[in-house]
């Protein structure tokens, strides 16, 4: 009966250990996927920042050109008014585009922070599972020790039975 109970505890500990290992494997896989997503998002963020910088520089250069054109148009008042109106609208559009690009960078940074947070949570879950595995290993070790003691007592009893029959 003690042997059956020890075997039951050992099977229960093994089952718990296997379940915990499966959970750990699943979480590790999820963490690996999230690390890949973070790496991809970081590359995309850096690419977007470089692209946005170039576009911002181009927009700033265009704004400078427009301002220069505004200052040089003085001969015809009507043409100057139309040109000023057109260039002001283009400037506003370029500034709007620059603002939109900056908003896009902020959104990508927020996404990267969210993925980084999820990675930290996954790593925390992995650490918790490692702790559970260690506890399961300790329970398994105790169950094996109890089983060994029972086997030793059974051998002593078998030796006693053999000697008493002789």
């Amino acid at each position: 009966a003690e042997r059956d109970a020890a075997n039951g505890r050992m099977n229960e500990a093994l089952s718990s250990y296997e379940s915990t290992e499966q959970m750990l494997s699943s979480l590790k896989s999820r963490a690996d996927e999230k690390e890949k997503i973070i790496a991809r998002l970081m590359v995309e963020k850096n690419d977007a920042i470089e692209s946005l910088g170039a576009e911002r520089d181009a927009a700033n250069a265009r704004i400078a050109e427009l301002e220069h054109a505004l200052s040089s148009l003085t001969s015809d008042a009507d043409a100057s008014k139309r040109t000023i109106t057109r260039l002001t609208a283009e400037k506003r559009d370029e500034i709007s585009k620059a603002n939109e690009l900056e908003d896009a960078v902020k959104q990508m940074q927020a996404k990267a922070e969210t993925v980084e947070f999820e990675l930290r949570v996954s790593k925390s879950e992995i650490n918790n599972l490692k702790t559970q595995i260690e506890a399961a290993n300790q329970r398994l070790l105790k169950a094996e020790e109890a089983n060994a003691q029972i086997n030793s007592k059974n051998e002593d009893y078998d030796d006693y039975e053999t000697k008493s029959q002789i």
Side-chain angles (χ1 to χ4, degrees), residues 63 66 85 87-97:
I63 289 169
L66 295 174
T85 302
L87 293 175
T88 302
E90 287 181 14
K91 178 180 176 182
R92 203 173 26 252
D93 289 346
E94 293 298 328
I95 290 171
S96 177
K97 287 179 186 177

Side-chain angles (χ1 to χ4, degrees), residues 61-117:
R62 179 70 177 137
I63 289 169
E65 290 173 12
L66 295 174
E67 288 175 344
H68 177 71
L70 280 174
S71 67
S72 67
L73 294 174
T74 56
S75 66
D76 188 321
D78 291 337
S80 293
K81 287 179 185 179
R82 286 190 301 273
T83 302
I84 288 170
T85 302
R86 179 182 56 81
L87 293 175
T88 302
E90 287 181 14
K91 178 180 176 182
R92 203 173 26 252
D93 289 346
E94 293 298 328
I95 290 171
S96 177
K97 287 179 186 177
N99 289 336
E100 288 174 8
L101 293 173
E102 286 178 6
D103 288 344
V105 167
K106 288 177 185 175
Q107 288 175 355
M108 291 189 82
Q109 287 173 335
K111 285 180 184 178
E113 289 171 4
T114 298
V115 172
E116 287 173 356
F117 172 76

Side-chain angles (χ1 to χ4, degrees), residues 24-40:
L24 177 60
S25 176
S26 174
L27 285 172
K28 184 175 183 335
S29 176
R30 285 180 29 211
D32 289 344
E33 288 175 15
K34 288 180 181 181
E35 284 180 348
K36 289 176 186 175
I37 291 170
I38 287 172
R40 182 179 48 80

Side-chain angles (χ1 to χ4, degrees), residues 37-50 108:
I37 291 170
I38 287 172
R40 182 179 48 80
L41 287 175
M42 293 303 284
V43 167
E44 289 177 9
K45 178 184 116 183
N46 291 338
D47 290 346
I49 288 171
E50 288 178 20
M108 291 189 82

Side-chain angles (χ1 to χ4, degrees), residues 157-166:
Y157 179 77
D158 289 343
D159 288 344
Y160 173 76
E161 286 259 331
T162 304
K163 288 179 184 175
S164 67
Q165 288 178 357
I166 296 177

